[in-house]
Amino acid sequence: MNSKVADRIATTIFYLIAATIVTVLVGLLGYIIYHGFSKLNLDFLTSPSSSFRAGGGIGNQLFNSFYILFLTMVFTVPLGLGGGIYMAEYARPGRLTNAIRTCIEVLASLPSIVIGMFGLLMFVNLTGWGYSILGGALALTVFNLPVMVRVCEDALRTVARDQKEASLALGITHWHTIKTVLLPAAFPSILTGAILASGRVFGEAAALLFTAGLTTPTLDFSNWNPFDATSPLNIFRPAETLAVHIWAVNTQGLIPDVREVADGSSAVLIISVLLFNLLARWIGSIVHKKITASK
Amino acid sequence: MKTVMEPKRTNTTFAEQPLTEKTEKKPVALDVKHLNIYYGENHAVKDVNFSIDQNTVTALIGPSGCGKSTFLRSINRMNDLIPGARSTGEIQYDDVNLIGDDINVVALRKEIGMVFQKPNPFPKSIYNNIVHALKFNGIRSKKKLDGIVEESLRKAALWDEVKDRLHESALSLSGGQQQRLCIARTLAMKPNILLLDEPASALDPISNAKIEDLIMGLKKEYTIVIVTHNMHQASRISDKTAFFLNGVLVEFDKTDKIFTNPSKKDTEDYITGRFG
């Protein structure tokens, strides 16, 4: 076999692999959206779910998902940024750094159900909060933190070394260099990474089963006092998210329209995650243009 | 550092000296004594001794890996960034040993600026590239900043080309313009010594010539140490030349002497292109 033929065969194989990936994705998305799309209307998206009768919506679940996601990111981003800066800029090569890196990797590879069980111990039982939004958000923080640390570290490391040298050679301190040169240059990648991680958090179910719970109390969307029991903003109430809802109606749903609700919820979930991905690219490129003053 | 570096000799004090005191021998800017630099086990610079005069251009030449860049980077302590790098000996600058542990490298780098081989402007506007370090040093007045920006861009012979687009991205400039911006950015800090690490090697011949003209002009105000691989460049712009080989300073003399009548065989072989 001469090299030309080998090259052609290799090219074909890689095309086929790429095509397979695209087919799987398009097939999956197409199936879910095709089945769920008919359910998508304002009423379904805003009304509360029902326990026995048909025609329930996913309003509360949708709100819970975004609320837990928001809280998770509030916890994760500063911690992840701090960890990433430490790992990329301050950690000296050595045994301690290796140990920290191993911890991050192990944490990143923990199955989410294990994190859920850990959350049950820590944030539900030990704290005495019961199933709560805060407990769920903290469990998801544990789930998401290693990814965020990694994202921030990689983003800082990919900033060209000559940028850092340029700043230090001008007599600027290390910390000021990090603040004014490295972080702005790394910001688009950090933002993109954070939004992509959001998609992962948004779709997470296992870590929330035993932390945020499977129920949502009756919510009064006109009550925005976060300390009130019926307020949607109350962080100490149980909250079933969209991903958990899909699992719950499929396994223990008593409503007659289980299939429709599951289809619709799945479509909403997957469209949201898709939007996160598109948003990540779009905002990333806008921010990049803005801070580099390029057109 | 400011206290460590006192008394600070500035260029202006030298300009004010009466002419009668200016002898053939120029004052010394950097006095290198028994300098050794190691990267881990690798002995990169071996017992180097020589002194660099004020307001001269000193060229460091030699084949790749001969230690000339390592030496240059040790002057403003950029080697500190490299894990495992350590130095012994002295580089005296105003009676301060720059190699010492008690040196405040941040203050040091304000007085001894550096320009790198590859133009490395920040991905910010031209204006912000220059004021970046000034703002860090507490200069907030817009008027003052504007003044320094213009002054340093003029010194770097870039003002006329960019004065109408100071707020455009520095990345929109050509490679040669970017490098002059990097020089301007360094000049804005009003350093005493400029370290140039092959500043023109990544540029086209025309940009290269502009940088050379610039260096010749800057000599009046600054002490310049330049690493170069370009023999012609070294012979055109420098007053003295140091030839490094395998970490050893083989020969250091007036540039004319090095290029016309070197005293060491290795030097002659190198500049006539027999190796390296």
Side-chain angles (χ1 to χ4, degrees):
Chain A
M1 183 162 65
N2 65 30
S3 55
K4 214 170 175 180
V5 177
D7 182 55
R8 202 164 291 167
I9 291 174
T11 312
T12 316
I13 290 175
F14 291 129
Y15 269 119
L16 282 176
I17 292 172
T20 313
I21 295 170
V22 172
T23 315
V24 169
L25 181 69
V26 169
L28 205 72
L29 286 181
Y31 182 83
I32 292 171
I33 291 172
Y34 173 78
H35 283 277
F37 203 74
S38 55
K39 278 293 285 182
L40 296 187
N41 54 51
L42 200 63
D43 192 45
F44 179 69
L45 292 179
T46 55
S47 62
S49 57
S50 90
S51 307
F52 306 106
R53 273 167 296 143
I58 54 165
N60 291 346
Q61 284 78 11
L62 204 54
F63 176 83
N64 290 340
S65 282
F66 279 107
Y67 194 33
I68 288 188
L69 170 64
F70 169 76
L71 280 179
T72 305
M73 294 321 271
V74 166
F75 298 142
T76 326
V77 170
L79 286 174
L81 207 52
I85 290 173
Y86 174 76
M87 292 306 285
E89 287 298 316
Y90 290 97
R92 296 253 156 205
R95 216 178 281 173
L96 178 68
T97 305
N98 287 342
I100 297 174
R101 199 174 297 283
T102 310
C103 288
I104 295 174
E105 273 159 18
V106 169
L107 199 56
S109 59
L110 277 188
S112 54
I113 187 74
V114 174
I115 293 173
M117 301 312 288
F118 170 75
L120 175 67
L121 267 177
M122 281 293 291
F123 309 126
V124 177
N125 292 339
L126 199 67
T127 58
W129 295 337
Y131 291 153
S132 71
I133 286 190
L134 184 60
L138 288 173
L140 285 180
T141 301
V142 175
F143 173 73
N144 198 25
L145 190 58
V147 179
M148 266 325 278
V149 171
R150 202 54 186 267
V151 161
C152 295
E153 184 188 347
D154 287 349
L156 286 167
R157 278 192 195 281
T158 49
V159 176
R161 203 179 100 133
D162 60 2
Q163 293 288 317
K164 185 177 165 186
E165 288 195 329
S167 181
L168 291 175
L170 287 168
I172 292 171
T173 53
H174 191 186
W175 171 232
H176 196 75
T177 298
I178 293 172
K179 264 195 314 190
T180 57
V181 175
L182 298 185
L183 280 179
F187 185 72
S189 331
I190 293 175
L191 187 72
T192 310
I195 299 178
L196 290 178
S198 300
R200 226 167 72 95
V201 168
F202 193 78
E204 177 54 35
L208 290 174
L209 290 178
F210 307 112
T211 51
L214 293 170
T215 54
T216 306
T218 313
L219 296 179
D220 175 7
F221 276 90
S222 60
N223 179 357
W224 295 101
N225 177 2
F227 301 104
D228 220 287
T230 59
S231 165
L233 292 185
N234 186 345
I235 54 172
F236 291 108
R237 65 173 174 87
E240 185 191 36
T241 65
L242 199 56
V244 173
H245 187 59
I246 294 172
W247 177 81
V249 289
N250 269 309
T251 52
Q252 43 191 252
L254 299 174
I255 43 174
D257 55 349
V258 164
R259 181 67 206 261
E260 284 78 11
V261 171
D263 283 347
S265 306
S266 304
V268 172
L269 189 67
I270 214 149
I271 289 170
S272 305
V273 172
L274 262 181
L275 284 179
F276 280 127
N277 280 271
L278 295 176
L279 205 68
R281 283 164 183 247
W282 184 61
I283 296 182
S285 75
I286 286 184
V287 171
H288 181 73
K289 275 181 198 158
K290 190 148 179 111
I291 59 170
T292 57
S294 61
K295 284 194 180 124
Chain B
M1 176 69 175
K2 280 292 174 201
T3 54
V4 182
M5 304 292 284
E6 298 297 344
K8 188 183 154 194
R9 284 187 295 202
T10 61
N11 297 303
T12 40
T13 57
F14 282 103
E16 282 157 14
Q17 276 178 353
L19 281 169
T20 47
E21 269 188 38
K22 267 198 177 169
T23 51
E24 189 66 26
K25 181 123 182 75
K26 292 195 175 189
V28 170
L30 292 169
D31 197 5
V32 184
K33 292 175 192 161
H34 302 293
L35 180 70
N36 286 282
I37 305 173
Y38 307 83
Y39 292 134
E41 295 298 303
N42 178 16
H43 196 172
V45 169
K46 297 167 189 160
D47 195 39
V48 166
N49 295 280
F50 72 121
S51 58
I52 291 168
D53 296 337
Q54 289 261 0
N55 294 46
T56 58
V57 177
T58 304
L60 310 179
I61 62 169
S64 298
C66 69
K68 57 192 188 307
S69 284
T70 300
F71 168 68
L72 191 78
R73 291 169 60 94
S74 71
I75 299 175
N76 72 341
R77 298 282 292 265
M78 290 306 279
N79 283 339
D80 289 12
L81 300 182
I82 299 166
R86 62 199 166 84
S87 335
T88 63
E90 292 173 28
I91 300 178
Q92 290 290 343
Y93 165 76
D94 276 336
D95 303 322
V96 176
N97 181 11
L98 299 182
I99 301 302
D101 290 332
D102 53 347
I103 290 289
N104 175 346
V105 293
V106 170
L108 159 70
R109 289 171 188 156
K110 283 176 202 160
E111 295 190 28
I112 304 183
M114 185 168 213
V115 175
F116 299 85
Q117 175 175 11
K118 201 173 137 243
N120 55 357
F122 301 122
K124 304 175 184 221
S125 69
I126 296 167
Y127 184 89
N128 280 333
N129 257 278
I130 296 177
V131 302
H132 173 69
L134 299 172
K135 279 187 174 164
F136 171 69
N137 284 300
I139 303 175
R140 295 264 172 247
S141 145
K142 175 97 171 67
K143 207 173 140 197
K144 205 167 173 194
L145 289 173
D146 288 351
I148 300 177
V149 167
E150 175 168 353
E151 184 195 343
S152 29
L153 283 172
R154 279 192 194 282
K155 275 189 190 165
L158 189 60
W159 175 252
D160 291 330
E161 292 164 56
V162 301
K163 64 183 173 197
D164 298 323
R165 50 179 183 136
L166 290 175
H167 295 283
E168 284 180 29
S169 170
L171 302 179
S172 67
L173 298 173
S174 72
Q177 289 172 324
Q178 287 186 6
Q179 192 63 301
R180 275 178 284 150
L181 176 62
C182 292
I183 294 175
R185 182 171 75 179
T186 308
L187 296 180
M189 298 305 295
K190 309 214 182 328
N192 294 330
I193 300 179
L194 271 182
L195 308 175
L196 309 175
D197 192 358
E198 300 183 49
S201 66
L203 305 178
D204 64 272
I206 293 172
S207 304
N208 198 332
K210 280 188 183 163
I211 301 270
E212 285 186 14
D213 287 346
L214 178 59
I215 294 170
M216 310 272 268
L218 291 174
K219 178 168 92 165
K220 290 188 212 84
E221 285 184 65
Y222 306 94
T223 304
I224 295 171
V225 186
I226 177 171
V227 165
T228 180
H229 274 289
N230 182 332
M231 292 305 109
H232 296 290
Q233 185 174 64
S235 67
R236 274 194 301 265
I237 65 174
S238 68
D239 302 297
K240 286 194 171 178
T241 297
F243 171 60
F244 283 80
L245 185 63
N246 299 328
V248 176
L249 175 63
V250 174
E251 192 168 353
F252 174 63
D253 214 325
K254 291 211 170 77
T255 298
D256 293 344
K257 172 104 176 19
I258 293 270
F259 280 93
T260 54
N261 185 23
S263 44
K264 298 271 169 52
K265 177 135 191 340
D266 280 339
T267 315
E268 189 179 344
D269 286 350
Y270 181 70
I271 59 175
T272 53
R274 238 164 272 168
F275 69 88

